[in-house]
């Protein structure tokens, strides 16, 4: 062994993780086809793990002052002092059925409410069918009964209730717009609410609703946004697979994938909110033309739905996808 080898072994010895990465890079030179694609995925994952490990390594002098250390006797003391009830129950093996029971109760309430609404709708249809053949006093009585049924239906639909798909989702208000119509009797104000929802794991949706007040409009949009959900495939769990552009009316939007920990360089609050709800953390965007929230969100969903992931390309052409810089 030469002096240089001894010096490297003593002062420049690499950790085991870097040796594994080096072996994978050597194997990558000779591999082809599917094996090359799998090795590339493993190599990217290993490099990301090492970057995170170095960024939060307490033994690294560069991180002194950035990472706060707490000296606690045991993990049980950490749980007791931090107040993590759920984590404590999971470690001790206790069941977490409270949330499921609450969710099931809310679901039963929603089902009962839907049954009541369906029964009222049937009654209204029957009364309207009878009203076509009745006149005079009987007709007026039927009209009053129909009005009572409609008011009862509206009171049930305007109740604040939790939708069935709310568990695990977060809802954000994108925009609330007020319009005023001037009539002979005075001004009639209406509100339009635009909401977006997502579970931060690829499922996202939006809805638009109108109402006489802002509260009612937001509530109606809240119930509708869970009926318009889309699944967006995330590339490496943090960005999009490739750059794309989309257009809706006078709005044109451009999206580019970003590197790990590069952050969200969004063109506006609407794009940033929807991307975070979908689970994207490193995406760059630009908007050209109209910046109306509704146009922007529709153009954004058109662009996200048009993205093709490596899996889609493999299924489409029957070939293995490999990064261009490795060819």
């Amino acid at each position: 062994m030469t002096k240089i080898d001894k010096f490297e072994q003593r002062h420049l010895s690499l950790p085991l993780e870097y040796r594994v990465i080096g072996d994978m890079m050597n194997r990558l030179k000779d591999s082809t086809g599917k094996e090359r694609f799998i090795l590339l995925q493993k190599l990217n994952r290993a490099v990301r793990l090492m970057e995170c490990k170095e960024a939060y390594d307490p033994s690294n002098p560069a991180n002194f002052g950035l990472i706060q250390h707490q000296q606690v006797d045991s993990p049980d003391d950490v749980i007791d002092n931090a107040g993590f009830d759920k984590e404590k129950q999971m470690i001790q093996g206790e069941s977490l059925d409270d949330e499921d029971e609450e969710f099931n109760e809310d679901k039963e309430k929603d089902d009962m409410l839907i049954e009541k609404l369906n029964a009222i709708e049937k009654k209204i249809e029957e009364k309207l069918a009878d009203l076509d053949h009745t006149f005079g006093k009987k007709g007026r009585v039927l009209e009053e009964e129909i009005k009572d049924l409609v008011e009862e239906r509206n009171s049930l639909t305007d109740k604040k209730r939790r939708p069935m798909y709310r568990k695990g989702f977060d809802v954000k208000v994108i925009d609330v717009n007020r319009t005023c119509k001037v009539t002979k009797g005075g001004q009639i104000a209406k509100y339009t609410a635009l909401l977006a929802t997502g579970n931060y794991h690829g499922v996202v949706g939006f809805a638009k609703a109108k109402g006489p007040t802002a509260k009612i409009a937001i509530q109606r949009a809240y119930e509708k946004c869970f009926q318009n959900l889309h699944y967006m495939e995330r590339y490496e769990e943090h960005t999009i697979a490739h750059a794309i552009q989309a257009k809706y009316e006078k709005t044109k939007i451009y999206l580019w994938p970003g590197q790990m920990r590069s952050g969200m360089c969004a063109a506006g609050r609407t794009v940033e909110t929807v991307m975070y709800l979908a689970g994207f953390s490193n995406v760059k965007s630009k908007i050209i033309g109209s910046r109306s929230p509704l146009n922007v969100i529709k153009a954004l969903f058109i662009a996200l739905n048009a993205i093709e992931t490596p899996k889609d390309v493999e299924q489409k052409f029957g070939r293995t996808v490999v990064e261009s810089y490795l060819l």
Side-chain angles (χ1 to χ4, degrees):
M1 185 180 290
T2 61
K3 292 182 179 180
I4 296 175
D5 294 334
K6 291 180 180 179
F7 180 81
E8 288 180 351
Q9 187 177 4
R10 183 176 180 182
H11 300 284
L12 302 176
S13 60
L14 289 173
L16 180 62
E17 292 86 351
Y18 285 109
R19 295 178 191 173
V20 173
I21 291 173
D23 293 339
M24 291 172 65
M25 293 179 72
N26 292 331
R27 289 170 56 193
L28 193 65
K29 295 178 182 177
D30 302 328
S31 61
T32 56
K34 187 176 180 180
E35 184 182 358
R36 186 185 183 92
F37 177 72
I38 294 171
L39 275 174
L40 180 63
Q41 298 297 322
K42 290 182 178 179
L43 184 62
N44 290 337
R45 195 179 298 114
V47 171
R48 291 202 307 272
L49 287 172
M50 284 306 300
E51 287 179 355
C52 295
K53 187 176 179 181
E54 289 179 355
Y56 297 98
D57 187 11
S59 60
N60 187 4
N63 293 332
F64 289 169
L66 300 176
I67 303 174
Q68 297 180 356
H69 304 279
Q70 294 182 355
Q71 295 181 355
V72 186
D73 297 334
S74 65
D76 296 331
D77 296 335
V78 173
I79 294 170
D80 294 334
N81 297 330
F84 296 142
D85 298 330
K86 291 184 181 179
E87 286 79 355
K88 185 177 180 180
Q89 291 178 4
M90 290 174 66
I91 290 173
Q92 294 177 355
E94 297 179 7
S95 60
L96 296 174
D97 297 332
D98 296 337
E99 291 186 1
D100 296 333
E101 291 177 359
E102 291 178 2
F103 178 69
N104 293 331
E105 289 176 2
D106 295 329
K107 187 176 178 181
E108 290 177 1
K109 290 179 182 178
D110 289 338
D111 293 337
M112 292 173 61
L113 190 58
I114 290 169
E115 289 178 1
K116 288 181 181 178
L117 289 171
N118 292 333
I120 292 171
E121 289 287 347
K122 287 182 180 179
K123 288 181 181 179
I124 291 173
E125 290 177 1
E126 292 174 0
K127 299 282 186 184
L128 288 172
D130 295 337
L131 187 63
D132 295 336
H133 307 287
T134 53
F135 305 96
K137 291 183 179 180
K138 292 183 179 180
R140 293 171 189 169
V141 172
L142 276 175
E143 287 179 358
E144 291 178 359
E145 291 178 357
I146 290 170
K147 286 180 181 179
D148 295 337
L149 288 172
V150 170
E151 288 178 359
E152 185 180 356
R153 182 192 63 183
N154 292 338
S155 64
L156 287 174
T157 53
D158 291 339
K159 274 186 178 180
K160 188 177 182 181
R161 61 187 182 93
R162 177 184 286 183
M164 288 191 294
Y165 302 103
R166 189 188 182 281
K167 187 177 180 182
F169 283 81
D170 192 10
V171 182
K172 301 287 185 183
V173 178
I174 302 297
D175 182 54
V176 177
N177 188 26
R178 180 180 181 273
T179 57
C180 187
K181 182 181 179 182
V182 180
T183 62
K184 188 176 181 181
Q187 294 182 351
I188 301 174
K190 283 189 178 182
Y191 293 84
T192 305
L194 182 63
L195 270 67
T197 183
N199 65 348
Y200 301 101
H201 293 287
V203 181
V204 66
F206 75 98
K208 174 189 173 186
K210 296 180 180 180
T213 62
K215 185 178 179 181
I216 293 174
I218 291 172
Q219 185 178 338
R220 290 176 180 174
Y222 182 85
E223 295 173 1
K224 286 175 62 179
C225 63
F226 295 97
Q227 303 171 6
N228 183 28
L229 296 175
H230 302 258
Y231 177 71
M232 309 300 180
E233 188 73 30
R234 296 176 296 163
Y235 182 69
E236 296 182 353
E237 300 296 326
H238 71 96
T239 186
I240 58 178
H242 56 84
I244 194 168
Q245 65 175 5
K247 184 180 180 182
Y248 178 78
E249 292 185 357
K250 296 293 183 181
T251 302
K252 198 180 269 189
I253 189 168
Y254 296 85
L255 300 175
W256 297 276
Q259 296 179 354
M260 194 69 176
R261 289 187 289 179
S262 63
M264 186 74 68
C265 183
R269 186 178 65 87
T270 303
V271 178
E272 185 177 0
T273 304
V274 174
M275 297 300 279
Y276 273 129
L277 287 172
F280 296 98
S281 55
N282 303 298
V283 179
K284 300 176 183 178
S285 61
K286 185 176 180 61
I287 297 173
I288 296 176
S290 173
R291 287 178 174 264
S292 169
L294 183 61
N295 288 359
V296 169
I297 203 169
K298 286 189 176 181
L300 178 60
F301 270 78
I302 291 170
L304 291 175
N305 286 319
I307 291 174
E308 291 185 343
T309 60
K311 293 181 182 178
D312 297 335
V313 177
E314 286 179 4
Q315 293 176 359
K316 188 176 181 180
F317 297 101
R319 298 182 181 180
T320 305
V321 178
V322 183
E323 296 289 348
S324 60
Y325 65 87
L326 294 174
L327 298 174

